């Protein structure tokens, strides 16, 4: 499976390493034309306003909406989760508006700016290692969205069909199981597209 990592800003190399470790073929995506060769796309953490601005500048908003419209899986981590959301608390404008959820940015406050924890995730046997850095939270989801994990009663992993989002950075650990989970989503989508 060829998995692209949107390489406009943020933790790109770390996702590429994790995809490789999980058995996929990573591709750094800098131009929209590259999307056509991919089985899935990761939108990394970083700064969502910067990533959003660069996505607009280089035509990625329409191109990724089209990619999603073909049923191809997308995984947003941290800032990438914010970019996927339909609504962002306190902001008039969102970015891709693909996942039917409301997110709050920097939702843990100063006290808990960054921390690590073992997080149980639906569909993965044992808890995964999760690194939170100025992380967002998912405040509200529609019935189309499946909640895969919560941390202190707040939603931090969610899936809507072929779209996956995590508040935290799975790529900053040596635990590659969430990337393996995403690879399975890409395999299923590729198989379904062939039918
Ligand atoms: N706080 C960042 C934002 O709002 C996200 C942080 C991250 O991706 N680690 O975009």
């Amino acid at each position: 499976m060829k998995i692209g990592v949107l390489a406009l800003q943020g933790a790109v190399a770390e996702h590429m390493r994790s995809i490789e470790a999980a058995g996929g073929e990573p591709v750094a995506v800098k131009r929209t034309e590259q999307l056509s060769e991919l089985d899935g796309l990761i939108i990394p953490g970083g700064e969502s306003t910067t990533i959003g601005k660069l996505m607009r500048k280089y035509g990625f908003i329409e191109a990724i909406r089209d990619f999603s419209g073909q049923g191809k899986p997308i995984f947003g981590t941290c800032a990438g989760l914010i970019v996927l959301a339909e609504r962002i608390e306190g902001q008039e404008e969102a970015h891709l508006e693909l996942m039917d959820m409301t997110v709050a940015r920097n939702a843990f406050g100063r006290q808990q700016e960054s921390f690590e924890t073992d997080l149980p995730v639906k569909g993965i046997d044992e808890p995964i290692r999760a690194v939170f850095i100025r992380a967002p939270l998912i405040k509200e989801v529609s019935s189309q969205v499946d909640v895969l994990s919560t941390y202190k009663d707040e939603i931090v992993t969610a899936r809507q069909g072929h779209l996956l989002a995590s508040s935290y950075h799975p790529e900053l650990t040596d635990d590659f199981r969430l990337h393996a989970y995403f690879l399975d989503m890409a395999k299923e989508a590729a198989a379904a597209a062939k039918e």
Side-chain angles (χ1 to χ4, degrees), residues 144-166:
Q144 299 194 52
V145 178
D146 199 11
V147 173
L148 301 188
S149 70
T150 57
Y151 174 76
K152 295 188 174 167
D153 292 331
E154 304 269 17
I155 305 169
V156 293
T157 320
R159 177 172 176 179
Q160 179 178 339
H162 62 294
L163 306 171
L164 179 68
S166 73

Side-chain angles (χ1 to χ4, degrees), residues 24-50:
E25 193 186 322
V27 180
V29 176
K30 295 196 166 142
R31 291 172 294 107
T32 54
E33 301 84 75
Q34 291 174 276
L35 292 171
S36 61
E37 63 178 81
L38 303 176
D39 301 299
L41 178 71
I42 293 177
I43 305 176
E47 191 56 47
S48 57
T49 44
T50 307

Side-chain angles (χ1 to χ4, degrees), residues 9-176:
Q9 192 247 355
V12 177
E14 294 85 348
H15 271 298
M16 299 201 35
R17 179 193 71 119
S18 299
I19 280 296
E20 198 154 27
E25 193 186 322
V27 180
V29 176
K30 295 196 166 142
R31 291 172 294 107
T32 54
E33 301 84 75
Q34 291 174 276
L35 292 171
S36 61
E37 63 178 81
L38 303 176
D39 301 299
L41 178 71
I42 293 177
I43 305 176
E47 191 56 47
S48 57
T49 44
T50 307
I51 295 174
K53 244 183 233 156
L54 292 170
M55 283 172 73
R56 281 181 185 81
K57 184 168 173 190
Y58 295 109
F60 274 105
I61 298 281
E62 281 314 312
I64 294 175
R65 282 181 183 154
D66 186 57
F67 185 82
S68 173
Q70 295 165 38
K72 296 212 176 163
I74 305 176
F75 179 18
T77 61
C78 204
L81 166 149
I82 299 167
V83 167
L84 279 177
E86 261 181 41
R87 296 167 296 278
I88 303 169
E89 249 180 35
Q91 284 182 210
E92 299 249 310
E93 284 221 334
H95 304 284
L96 287 170
E97 302 178 335
L98 288 172
M99 279 183 84
D100 198 353
M101 60 187 187
T102 305
V103 302
R105 297 177 63 196
N106 303 320
F108 288 92
R110 278 271 169 97
Q111 295 298 320
Q112 270 193 305
E113 214 159 71
S114 76
F115 60 96
E116 282 189 48
T117 189
D118 290 316
L119 189 73
V121 177
K122 200 165 127 187
I124 297 178
D125 283 346
E126 298 288 323
I128 65 163
R129 193 72 185 155
V131 180
F132 290 76
I133 304 170
R134 290 183 298 111
L137 279 175
I138 302 169
K139 287 295 182 188
E140 207 180 64
V141 295
S142 82
S143 59
Q144 299 194 52
V145 178
D146 199 11
V147 173
L148 301 188
S149 70
T150 57
Y151 174 76
K152 295 188 174 167
D153 292 331
E154 304 269 17
I155 305 169
V156 293
T157 320
R159 177 172 176 179
Q160 179 178 339
H162 62 294
L163 306 171
L164 179 68
S166 73
S167 294
Y168 48 89
H169 293 262
E171 79 286 5
L172 298 183
T173 71
D174 286 331
D175 186 340
F176 308 117

